[in-house]
Amino acid sequence: MQSMRALFITILVFIVVSWSLPLFAEDYAFEIPDKETTEGQKTLEWSGNLDGRYTLFHPQESSPIYGLQFWDTDASSGYLSQYQLHLYLDGDYHTKDIGFHVKTRLGYLNDATDATFDLFELYGNYNLSLSTFIQVGKIRYNWGKGYAFNPVGFVNPFKDPENPELDQAGLLSVNVETFKSFNSNILKTAALTGIIIPPQEDINDRFAEIEHTDFAAKVYLMLGT
């Protein structure tokens, strides 16, 4: 309940700031494209890549990590190898106000029995207006700029410690984002992002505790001089 109250307070503050600043600064003027040039436009795009890697290891047998990884097996050689293949396939479908997106990965590690399929993202988005849109589905977020330590990555996927650059799956969530630009010397742009994350733990594979619903919010301000 405290998280929900904090989210509502953040949204309220953003609305008050967004509608009070125009009293002191005029909005930017821009031309809206003609309806004839935007209506009926549909695009379908597919993209992908194949990532292959062969790695040679020289483990240090006196290391504690070596004892944890090979506690029940003794390596017959001082060098170990690993090969892996990752096939990425992405799809995007857009209309004027609606879009659908999918990102997948097919992984192959040393043995065909270790082949895996990961659904990174599968979501749809709808443009409520020129400055507000909503996304629903499995979405991958990237909050913050930290690499080894990211104090604001509350909704980011967990990194693989053995391969931090490896892509990970997103969260099942609802995301609403709105932004506004101002013709002001102080505040140039303001944006608000709100995320609702359903509970992960199920009851009888059908229900979940509403108290376990998570909320996250992010406010972005671009200031100028």
Side-chain angles (χ1 to χ4, degrees), residues 57-68:
F57 299 93
H58 178 52
Q60 183 178 357
E61 298 184 4
S62 60
S63 170
I65 298 179
Y66 179 88
L68 292 175

Side-chain angles (χ1 to χ4, degrees), residues 37-48:
T37 61
T38 58
E39 189 173 9
Q41 290 184 353
K42 299 179 181 179
T43 59
L44 176 61
E45 298 179 357
W46 293 96
S47 62

Side-chain angles (χ1 to χ4, degrees), residues 29-30 33 45 49 52 71 119 126 134 144 177 199 222-224:
F30 58 92
E45 298 179 357
N49 65 282
W71 63 273
L119 181 62
Y126 178 70
I134 181 173
E177 183 170 346
M222 186 174 69
L223 305 178

Side-chain angles (χ1 to χ4, degrees), residues 67-130:
L68 292 175
Q69 291 185 333
F70 303 99
W71 63 273
D72 59 344
T73 303
D74 294 330
S76 59
S77 174
Y79 291 89
L80 303 175
S81 64
Q82 181 188 74
Y83 59 89
Q84 53 184 318
L85 295 174
H86 295 288
L87 176 62
Y88 297 89
L89 183 62
D90 305 337
D92 297 282
Y93 176 76
H94 295 276
T95 63
K96 178 184 177 182
D97 296 320
I98 300 176
F100 297 95
H101 313 270
V102 59
K103 295 181 181 294
T104 64
R105 180 186 68 184
L106 179 63
Y108 181 87
L109 179 62
N110 284 9
D111 193 330
T113 58
D114 293 329
T116 58
F117 176 78
D118 298 309
L119 181 62
F120 286 161
E121 289 185 305
L122 178 61
Y123 67 91
N125 66 276
Y126 178 70
N127 297 329
L128 301 175
S129 66
L130 292 176

